[in-house]
Amino acid sequence: MSYGIHINGRPFEDEPRAGQCLRTYLRERGWFGVKKGCDAGDCGACTVHVDGEPVHSCIYPAVRAEGRAVTTVEGLAGEDGELHPVQQKFLDAQGFQCGFCTAGYLMTTAALDAEQLTDLPRAFKGNICRCTGYRAIEDAVRGVRHTEEPDAGRAVGRNLGAPAGPQVVTGTARYTFDLDVPGLLHMKLLRSPHPHARIVAIDTAAALRVPGVHLVLTHHDAPERLYSTARHEHPTEDPDDTRLLDETVRYIGQRVAAVVADSEAAAEEGCRRIEVTYEQLPYVTDPEEAMTPGAPVIHDKGPESRIARPENNVVGEVHGEIGSVEEGFAEADVVYEETFRTQRVQHASLETHGAVAWYERGEDAEERLTVRSSTQTPFLTRRALCALFDLELKQVRVLAGRVGGGFGGKQEMIVEDIVALAVMRLRRPVKLEYTRAEQFYGATTRHPFTIGVRAGARSDGTLTALQVRVVSDTGAYGNHGPAVMFHSVGESMAVYRAPHKKVNAYSVYTNSPPSGAFRGYGLGQVVFAVESVMDELARRTGVDPLVFRELNIIGPGEHMISPGGEEEDLEIASYGLDQCLQVVRDAIEEYGGGPGDDVPEGWLVGQGTGMSMIATGPPGGHFADATVKLLQDGTYDIAVGTAEFGNGTTTVHKQITAGALSTTVDRIAIRQSDTDVVRHDTGAFGSAGTVVAGKAVMKAADALAVHLLDFAAEYLGAAAAGECRLAAYAVECAGRVVSLKELFQAARAAGRELSADGHWGGSPRSVAFNAQWFRLAVDPGTGEIRILRSVHAADAGKVMNPMQCRGQVEGGVAQALGATLFENVRLDERGQVTTAAFRRYRLPQYADVPRTEVHFMETSDAIGPLGAKSMSESPFNPVAPAFANALRDATGIRFTELPLTRDRVWLALHEAGKG
């Protein structure tokens, strides 16, 4: 008897492999709209319908679908291609950002009945979105339309929908692994069970005897060269402390060997058969202990690795003082001192880390290595691979499809190197895709911080001194460690005026999983501490917390001073912090201070504010090149390197170009994230997509507009280009009209190309401001907290796309609430991750996230393109202190450690006699 499953109306008779889940069965047959997000039925990205009922296909055995009708997101649309009503709603509302979770939400929503639609928190309990903050999803379900179709030349400032929107809602957008590669081999990694050990011997013979295994890689096969997995324009910003496969392992989960086989199952079995003999070494997991004399030395390397003090496990440090803090404290009427702690947080992008690589022949017929990766930095990754393997740039191509979330975690090279090595050895395509568990112990996290703050103020609320001591746990490797540490004590201290400031900050190695780049890049941790202290000083001086901030914040045109070192190219090119605080004041006045009808009897009520300042780009230069050209059919093409992972840069770049060329966005194509087809781009990190790559696009588009007008005037015999103007399809010159198609042909006949280049180096830089306000209620009997109102004020300069920018803010607030309330990558005493699954690591779900009111300030930046500023990272930073300050207002207790879990709140209330 033949096997049979109907998928989207088509019969498939291939029998599933033993134990195969439906998700894998579907993806192997080309239904890539079914996503792999969690491996355990926790995230909902793999949701499909089986006989009309939604199921999580990653835990649904494929054999159970025999004789049933399976519908994936690709099958929702009608046979005539007309979108399903739910798909159209998600498109109209832009109910997505990176879009990796969208297919799951569409399939879940399409199966909801009228009653279920009245209770979305319950209906969506099996689906997770890491990007949107859920408001856009709710709007989509409710049929709220946000997207617009602006007239020619009027796209900037309008709610243009994402260009890839139709592909996202139909499941045809192609992420990293959404492609069929003939002859593909699969890689799995053997990882260390020890926090610190030396490999004495490694025997791979049994692994190589496993049927289907082609290759086993160990440290004997790895280049000796040391490097950093962190990606920056200037590689010297990061310590060279990593070897591709090392004979010394420094944390539980570090890769020890790689097995490449015909299937993942064979590769996994190969890993199990490898025999490793370890010499266990002393380890240390506490950063303060790691700095003490006699602690185990984790990296005994020379100065060429750029480690500040390897003998003390200090990878980087900064020390500085302006004035004399002791004099400042002597002048103060009130001095407050406290220590704050923040935890490890996982990026939890729904698309895990991974890469697939192969050899192909380029236009010059030369064979070269091609790497398709879920990366925020294709150009920097190519450069790193070339340095590691002694290759020329032309011998390596790196490209990214649509990236399923990043949040800084994919500003690393942690999979591409090992995949490339395997491909170079086998000359066959190889794929490595992290599981969700590997994402927790094999990728990176946000840096845990310990922040000691001492601050003094006069009785009138004037700051006299601010002193900060930071210890950042960078884990076993220093990728991003020094840079995060340096950035953390920059704008967090510079935003406040104080005549006396001092900082001592340390980035410290421990035998723990490595930390890395994460939204906010260290600022959020220190802002939590500093803003909590400012709130406490205000209370102790009797000054209203908002007034206290207004007395002490930096003003427009002032010089930003941080004792950690000045950044000469950083300036206040537009100022909206006063407006941000006014938004908070208006919210407080509306609140009025009473408990309100929405608060259960006996609950404690409070409100609190936090604010932050952030540079609109990384220091030291962040480069972008762009080309805009006229095509033969009279449309335009943009080539720009930055990656799209829900940050919306693709949309903004098309809006900028449409404005400069007086055309409509549908007449503009864009190529990006491919080192073969675009010029250099440092990468999509540091909120640089709009202010750096966007400025390069603007320069190219503006230059092309001039070029078109000049050539049209010449072609039509107009007296001057000033007599000509661009239109959507043509150029008009003194009453004469020439179509863009004809203009292209004329230029070609004259041997000229109508194109222009743009470049921006990311300097000088401006600053953006944010303020967050919460009103919340606390049940003293249980520790439960309810957010009654959430208000966020954002100084984003000229808002290029209000819908999209609001989504960035809402997503940042939601992610920050997760870090504030419950997210915590827990380690045991040996440094082993114990929360390596979504069900043990709680992410914010639909029911957890309030509907944040987002307000944009009326500013226009003198540096950013068309007055825009960055707004991808900054909304995260003021959330935790605003929440902690509101909790302090409600309970009278200053909470100093994140996350503010329900049990921690209850215990503190109980110990204070308030429970």
Side-chain angles (χ1 to χ4, degrees), residues 97-183:
Q97 284 183 30
C98 84
F100 200 80
C101 70
T102 304
Y105 271 99
L106 287 165
M107 300 308 292
T108 298
T109 304
L112 298 178
D113 58 30
E115 182 179 351
Q116 291 170 318
L117 285 168
T118 65
D119 189 0
L120 292 183
R122 179 177 293 275
F124 288 144
K125 69 183 189 309
N127 291 79
I128 292 172
C129 176
R130 190 55 157 168
C131 295
T132 65
Y134 297 103
R135 173 179 172 175
I137 292 171
E138 179 184 358
D139 286 351
V141 175
R142 302 299 184 207
V144 178
R145 183 185 178 101
H146 293 303
T147 58
E148 303 176 84
E149 297 179 3
D151 295 334
R154 299 182 180 275
V156 172
R158 306 293 293 275
N159 293 331
L160 175 69
Q167 290 75 44
V168 169
V169 301
T170 56
T172 56
R174 291 294 175 248
Y175 296 81
T176 306
F177 297 112
D178 295 344
L179 75 167
D180 182 23
V181 180

Side-chain angles (χ1 to χ4, degrees), residues 367-371 381-383 385-386 389 391-398 420 675-676:
E367 198 174 44
R368 43 75 181 285
L369 178 68
T370 297
V371 181
T381 299
R382 177 180 66 164
R383 188 169 67 189
L385 290 173
C386 290
F389 297 117
L391 300 171
E392 298 179 28
L393 288 178
K394 67 179 182 180
Q395 293 178 282
V396 179
R397 175 191 182 193
V398 176
T675 59
D676 243 26

